[in-house]
Amino acid sequence: MTSTPPTVDWTALREEARAAMRRAYAPYSGYPVGVAALVDDGRVVTGCNVENASYGVGLCAECGLVSQLQNSGGGRLTHFTCVDGNGEILVPCGRCRQLLYEFGGPDLLLETPAGILPLSEMLPQAFGPDHLSK
């Protein structure tokens, strides 16, 4: 017997990201970002960017999300969305895609302006933990 995957409410997940975006600390760039993801156990984790006066040590929203993931019990990310200061869908930068790969893998589904895509299409031929164990 095959089971069908649960339906994901992308609108609700995006609203979680928008709520996180409103808590961002972005006084230097003026570019708040919020993210939200589903975890394989059904939890929702969120994050927002937090800037710093020395620019280079600012934290991306994805850093906060992964920190919340680990601090709330770990698990694997299954679905992810990211929004800008207008609440519009935004794709994560390359660095953040690498971070998402670590905690969601190639099958993590991302909401993008082009639709729902697996991370394997957003970060082809990714380097990951398996490369370090060979």
Side-chain angles (χ1 to χ4, degrees):
M1 181 166 122
T2 60
S3 63
T4 57
T7 302
V8 172
D9 185 345
W10 286 99
T11 301
L13 193 61
R14 198 174 323 109
E15 283 305 314
E16 291 283 344
R18 287 178 178 144
M21 177 270 298
R22 289 189 286 275
R23 295 186 291 270
Y25 180 72
Y28 306 105
S29 71
Y31 198 81
V33 175
V35 295
L38 289 177
V39 183
D40 58 1
D41 64 5
R43 284 178 294 139
V44 173
V45 290
T46 61
C48 61
N49 58 323
V50 178
E51 295 178 350
N52 183 282
S54 66
Y55 294 104
V57 295
L59 299 173
C60 295
E62 291 83 353
C63 292
L65 180 135
V66 167
S67 181
Q68 186 184 43
L69 171 70
Q70 289 304 111
N71 194 43
S72 64
R76 298 294 288 169
L77 301 174
T78 61
H79 301 78
F80 173 88
T81 192
C82 180
V83 299
D84 65 16
N86 295 318
E88 299 298 320
I89 298 167
L90 180 68
V91 294
C93 72
R95 174 189 179 272
C96 290
R97 292 178 200 187
Q98 184 66 44
L99 187 63
L100 292 170
Y101 188 84
E102 183 85 13
F103 294 93
D107 296 327
L108 172 62
L109 296 178
L110 280 71
E111 183 178 38
T112 77
I116 307 303
L117 297 172
L119 185 55
S120 61
E121 287 187 34
M122 301 294 295
L123 188 66
Q125 300 183 43
F127 179 84
D130 291 342
H131 291 95
L132 299 175
S133 62
K134 290 181 180 177

